[in-house]
Amino acid sequence: MSGAARKVATGDVLHLTRAASVQFMRPIFVRVIRVLEWPTYGGWLWLDGYELGASGDAVARRSLFVMSGGLVWQDPPPPPAQKTARFPVARKPIRVG
């Protein structure tokens, strides 16, 4: 979804490319911490967020100056896999030897 139709919110995952700023020659994914209320030019904003690595884990905290029209929202990640139920095992003394 294009940045023009949606407002950035805490927790959003954004794919930042050159459309958001020339600094993103290598596109990155960012999880937004907050939108900073710093003065900017029209159509631009400051974001505080975590850059995400290939596994989706935070690798660096960054403050980023981006063009709101170039933001691309990622779909929410799939829910975590269900853990298999574990049942306690009855432990009894065993005879050795």
Side-chain angles (χ1 to χ4, degrees), residues 20-21 23-24 39-41 44-47 63-67:
S21 175
Q23 65 185 309
F24 302 114
T40 64
Y41 299 101
W44 290 80
L45 52 104
W46 280 97
L47 299 176
S63 293
L64 302 162
F65 189 55
V66 295
M67 185 183 305

Side-chain angles (χ1 to χ4, degrees), residues 64-78:
L64 302 162
F65 189 55
V66 295
M67 185 183 305
S68 58
L71 301 178
V72 178
W73 276 260
Q74 284 303 110
D75 293 329

Side-chain angles (χ1 to χ4, degrees), residues 11-18 20 23-33 47-64 66 70-77:
D12 286 347
V13 175
L14 303 173
H15 186 218
L16 302 179
T17 65
R18 287 184 58 100
Q23 65 185 309
F24 302 114
M25 292 223 22
R26 179 185 59 86
I28 65 171
F29 290 94
V30 173
R31 182 174 308 276
V32 176
I33 298 171
L47 299 176
D48 215 5
Y50 291 108
E51 182 177 351
L52 303 177
S55 64
D57 295 329
V59 294
R61 184 170 176 168
R62 301 189 50 183
S63 293
L64 302 162
V66 295
L71 301 178
V72 178
W73 276 260
Q74 284 303 110
D75 293 329

